[in-house]
Amino acid sequence: MNTATLEQVLAATGYLPDGRPAPGLRLGAEAQSSRHGRVFVPDALWRSASSLTVYFKFEQSAPADDLVSQWRREVWNEGFAPLLWVISPQRIDLYNGFGTPAKEGDAQRHLIRRFENIEASLHELDELAGRLAIETGQFWAQVPAIDRKTSVDQKLLSDLGCLERDLVAGNLARDAAQALIGRVIFTQYLIDREIVSAARLKRVCGRTALPAILRDRPATSKLFAWLAQTFNGDMFPPSSVKTTPAAHHLTRVAEFLEAVDPESGQLSFFPYQFDVIPVELISSIYEQFAHAEPQTGGKRTEALRNGVHYTRLSVVSLVLDEVMDGLSGRESVLDLTCGSGVFLVEALRRLVHLRSQGQPPTRELIRSTLYGQVYGVDISEAAIRVAAFSLYLAALELDPDPQPPQSLKFQPLIGRTLLVGDARTVERDGDGKAVLATPTGLKQFDLIVGNPPWSFRGQTGTEARRKTRVAGVPAQPRGEGLDFVLRAAEFSHEKTRFGIILSAMPFFSRSGTGMAAAQHVMRAVAPITLVNLSNLCSWLFATAAMPAVVLFARHRPKQRTDQVTVVQIPWTPSGARTHSFEVAPSDVITLTLDEIQEQPLKLKAAAVGRRRDLLLLDDLTSAHRNLGEQLSLLDTTFQVGLIRGPRESDARCSPAKRIGCTASQRHAALQHSR
């Protein structure tokens, strides 16, 4: 490799300023060791704080389009790289890393821009795609073709949703359809990673490729039985292989793997490489299935009725970046509403990285972290099974030599670290009691993360909450997010770090009971940081009917115990396309708990406004009566909604009811209020 040419380009575009790597830039072996793939070996990469990656590849001569298409397909499957730079002494080509791979003409279809003369084009290249252009969002405004809507996660989740609907329409129960899809994805992952070879498949069931096996029902039964015996964890329990799905169901899944259009029967291009796709993306399948569930009679899906909203990987990174900063890797993690385990998978990966201290992790280290440090609870058995599946995949991905039979022998997670049950009562009986109850009280964890249900579930939900409510503790009037925070605190110690996604309503509501509940929670887990995500909900939580915040607590050792740091993440034109966040110093405001208690409106002002808005609020409240006090002078009670004035026929018209008042009445009311 001609490092001089590559370094010249990186220096001119801000990735290697003054000969020193910019934050996030990795060169040579460091760049190559940070990913695994098939044929693509980057010479450099730059990773932003939100995990978006730009890859740089140098070649002595401009590579053929077919080779570029192979590289780009890998980059697309990785899911986090919107841009691939291919650099040669003759030219620089920029390719769209989010564009769905095509069977023919892929490289030219996804070529964004070609710079023929490097010396003359470096300034123009820097303005288009340099580090500053990427970080400020200028790049995204200039290149609308790069969009998350065509990235691997959106494409895969859409295709799996269609596959599931076809299976259900073919009279396969929905949970059985999900189980079949999960087993097939896991098997294809083992094949793509060459953990299970074609020769082994031939010995087990007489076929060498998974689609051919699925088209042969007896061969499928043999394969699933072998996997259940070999992979002795929770993904293939004995009960899952007692009944092999019908031949037409297996054929439909085989068609998915062969990229056969179910309507036309025509072959297309199968873009997926399951050995490259991040495991945390696969773990989000359950949430996507839950939200894709067909509505019946106009009713919302079960997930939406329960206030469950799909957790995007960008939010997972935001939460874990904060709560895991500066840790040793020996800490324990709990998610009381873990769903398919998206938080747990990424936490496992980071804990292993921290424990290995820059060295290749051993299988013993990976397994001890998996079995002893990562815990999850969910009321859905299907979700817990997907969480187990995802954690096993993550452990295999981290394994330096994942070859059978030893690498496939896992201990069960369900009933040990993954528990099926209601988070409110999980420790009272069964597996939960054995795992979470100790002689001195509940088991304590070092990190508590998650995205608990947000929604208000009407009278039934209220009755259920009353049964577990602690006397004297202010309760959130609508919704149960704060209940989960208080419940999570029961599993904490004084240094436990929290990172929990919640509805913003109780924090920004004018309701007295809502604010009392929010302030009680803030004092219980102080010091805290509130990150307001309300501006991003249109793409971050598209199914939610209310804004969102992230509650961080005790994650900054130097933060004062009475301090509340409020961060407002602003909307940006590129946010929905990049799934990234941009925060400036002006977006951060610090308050105290006493300030919020004295003037609750300050919390909302800090979350949606600027420091000048707080100054204006202070000025208004110190120099003027509030509306309730003003109306009391008119013998009118301040309540929510339309307030009617006194019933006496000669009563003055209050400012709260101007409709129907005569001019003289309005004048008299104003005179009286002065």
Side-chain angles (χ1 to χ4, degrees), residues 6 35 42 45 66 78-79 107 123 136 162 177 182 193 254 272 276 282 407 415 423 547 555 613 657:
L6 176 62
R35 68 178 303 277
L45 68 82
D66 287 347
E78 197 170 293
H123 177 70
T136 61
C162 291
R193 284 291 303 270
Y272 304 114
V276 179
I282 297 176
S407 68
H555 70 301
D613 299 300
K657 185 189 177 188

Side-chain angles (χ1 to χ4, degrees), residues 1-4 6-7 10 15-16 21 24-36 40-47 54-58:
M1 181 185 75
N2 188 337
T3 57
L6 176 62
E7 290 177 0
L10 293 175
Y15 296 99
L16 195 67
L25 183 71
R26 303 177 187 179
L27 298 168
E30 186 182 7
Q32 294 155 16
S33 65
S34 65
R35 68 178 303 277
H36 67 267
F40 178 61
V41 180
D43 295 305
L45 68 82
W46 175 80
R47 185 159 292 154
V54 177
Y55 281 117
F56 304 90
K57 179 65 177 175
F58 179 83

Side-chain angles (χ1 to χ4, degrees), residues 106-275:
D106 176 85
Q108 290 303 313
R109 177 178 299 185
H110 296 294
L111 177 65
I112 297 170
R113 185 84 176 269
R114 173 167 290 168
F115 297 87
E116 296 284 0
N117 187 316
I118 292 182
E119 291 288 346
S121 302
L122 286 179
H123 177 70
E124 188 179 359
L125 174 63
D126 181 39
E127 288 190 336
L128 175 67
R131 182 170 64 92
L132 185 61
I134 298 289
E135 290 184 331
T136 61
Q138 178 183 341
F139 168 78
W140 306 100
Q142 299 180 82
V143 189
I146 299 183
D147 198 318
R148 275 279 190 182
K149 292 179 180 179
T150 58
S151 64
V152 64
D153 52 333
Q154 301 299 306
K155 173 69 173 169
L156 176 60
L157 295 177
S158 174
D159 285 353
L160 291 179
C162 291
L163 174 59
E164 184 210 36
R165 287 193 292 274
D166 287 348
L167 293 173
V168 172
N171 294 321
L172 184 64
R174 191 163 182 264
D175 57 348
Q178 291 184 10
L180 174 60
I181 292 171
R183 278 180 273 168
V184 168
I185 289 175
F186 177 73
T187 305
Q188 191 62 55
Y189 172 87
L190 297 177
I191 294 170
D192 285 353
R193 284 291 303 270
E194 299 181 348
I195 296 172
V196 175
S197 64
R200 183 174 291 273
L201 290 175
K202 181 73 172 178
R203 290 196 300 270
V204 169
C205 52
R207 308 278 183 173
T208 58
L210 186 55
I213 294 171
L214 291 169
R215 293 181 186 278
D216 183 339
R217 192 165 181 262
T220 302
S221 298
K222 291 178 182 178
L223 175 63
F224 286 170
W226 177 78
L227 286 169
Q229 180 181 6
T230 304
F231 188 82
N232 62 334
D234 297 307
M235 189 58 205
F236 291 92
S239 60
S240 70
V241 295
K242 288 181 179 178
T243 303
T244 303
H248 67 281
H249 296 137
L250 298 175
T251 298
R252 176 64 187 93
V253 181
E255 289 175 347
F256 163 73
L257 294 176
E258 293 174 330
V260 176
D261 187 292
E263 295 183 1
S264 67
Q266 298 294 314
L267 285 172
S268 57
F269 180 64
F270 188 72
Y272 304 114
Q273 297 173 328
F274 286 105
D275 54 327

Side-chain angles (χ1 to χ4, degrees), residues 608-628:
V608 301
R610 292 288 185 266
R611 291 181 178 86
R612 63 177 179 270
D613 299 300
L614 290 176
L615 294 174
L616 176 61
L617 183 62
D618 283 338
D619 182 59
L620 289 173
T621 54
S622 62
H624 303 277
R625 299 187 184 98
N626 63 36
L627 181 59

Side-chain angles (χ1 to χ4, degrees), residues 280 283 316 320 324 332-351 369-370 373-377 384 387-388 390-391 394 417-419 447 449-450:
E280 61 268 27
S283 73
V316 174
L320 295 183
M324 298 190 73
S332 57
V333 182
L334 171 66
D335 185 346
L336 278 174
T337 53
C338 69
S340 65
V342 65
F343 275 106
L344 301 181
V345 167
E346 184 59 20
L348 171 66
R349 187 194 311 279
R350 296 184 185 216
L351 289 170
T369 307
L370 174 64
Q373 295 178 237
V374 181
Y375 291 75
V377 178
I384 286 292
S390 302
L391 287 166
T417 56
L418 297 178
L419 304 171
L447 302 175
V449 296

Side-chain angles (χ1 to χ4, degrees), residues 326-656:
L327 298 183
S328 67
R330 296 282 181 178
E331 292 78 10
S332 57
V333 182
L334 171 66
D335 185 346
L336 278 174
T337 53
C338 69
S340 65
V342 65
F343 275 106
L344 301 181
V345 167
E346 184 59 20
L348 171 66
R349 187 194 311 279
R350 296 184 185 216
L351 289 170
V352 168
H353 175 74
L354 289 169
R355 287 187 61 184
S356 58
Q357 298 181 338
Q359 300 299 315
T362 64
R363 181 173 300 155
E364 180 183 4
L365 184 149
I366 296 166
R367 299 295 173 90
S368 66
T369 307
L370 174 64
Y371 299 146
Q373 295 178 237
V374 181
Y375 291 75
V377 178
D378 202 273
I379 201 167
S380 166
E381 182 178 354
I384 286 292
R385 196 162 298 285
V386 176
F389 156 68
S390 302
L391 287 166
Y392 289 144
L393 283 186
L396 285 174
E397 186 179 82
L398 292 165
D399 198 309
D401 184 27
Q403 295 301 320
Q406 293 82 7
S407 68
L408 298 182
K409 297 291 184 182
F410 280 96
Q411 297 177 15
L413 300 179
I414 299 176
R416 298 185 181 184
T417 56
L418 297 178
L419 304 171
V420 180
D422 190 327
R424 302 176 186 87
T425 58
V426 65
E427 80 284 1
R428 294 182 185 176
D429 49 41
D431 294 330
K433 184 176 182 179
V435 173
L436 298 176
T438 72
T440 58
L442 293 178
K443 182 178 176 65
Q444 296 180 335
F445 294 86
D446 303 307
L447 302 175
I448 298 179
V449 296
N451 181 9
W454 302 2
S455 294
F456 174 63
R457 290 188 286 172
Q459 186 174 357
T460 302
T462 300
E463 290 297 327
R465 293 175 64 211
R466 284 174 179 167
K467 294 178 181 178
T468 57
R469 185 174 297 170
V470 178
V473 175
Q476 181 180 345
R478 297 175 65 87
E480 52 191 342
L482 297 183
D483 295 353
F484 274 93
V485 178
L486 293 176
R487 174 60 172 153
E490 296 178 23
F491 295 92
S492 70
H493 51 74
E494 62 180 9
K495 293 185 178 180
T496 296
R497 300 182 178 190
F498 295 80
I500 302 178
I501 303 167
L502 299 166
S503 163
M505 297 300 287
F507 297 98
F508 304 153
S509 170
R510 293 300 303 273
S511 161
T513 53
M515 278 306 305
Q519 290 178 33
H520 176 79
V521 166
M522 289 191 286
R523 290 188 182 277
V525 296
I528 73 161
T529 296
L530 280 178
V531 179
N532 182 16
L533 302 176
S534 303
N535 295 320
L536 316 179
C537 277
S538 61
W539 62 267
L540 197 58
F541 298 106
T543 58
M546 56 190 75
V549 297
V550 182
L551 171 72
F552 292 108
R554 303 176 189 166
H555 70 301
R556 298 288 186 189
K558 295 183 180 180
Q559 191 175 5
R560 296 196 324 268
T561 55
D562 67 335
Q563 181 175 316
V564 178
T565 302
V566 184
V567 181
Q568 177 186 179
I569 299 184
W571 178 89
T572 61
S574 61
R577 291 164 50 204
T578 65
H579 292 188
S580 60
F581 310 115
E582 298 176 16
V583 181
S586 59
D587 298 321
V588 182
I589 294 176
T590 300
L591 301 172
T592 66
L593 287 168
D594 289 341
E595 282 183 284
I596 295 171
Q597 183 172 353
E598 181 180 352
Q599 177 51 273
L601 195 56
K602 276 192 173 182
L603 182 59
K604 184 173 183 178
V608 301
R610 292 288 185 266
R611 291 181 178 86
R612 63 177 179 270
D613 299 300
L614 290 176
L615 294 174
L616 176 61
L617 183 62
D618 283 338
D619 182 59
L620 289 173
T621 54
S622 62
H624 303 277
R625 299 187 184 98
N626 63 36
L627 181 59
E629 294 169 340
Q630 196 75 12
L631 292 177
S632 68
L633 299 177
L634 304 176
D635 299 324
T636 303
T637 303
F638 176 60
Q639 294 177 345
V640 177
L642 179 65
I643 306 302
R644 299 189 179 277
R647 294 184 179 180
E648 292 81 4
S649 59
D650 61 344
R652 299 180 181 91
C653 177
S654 76

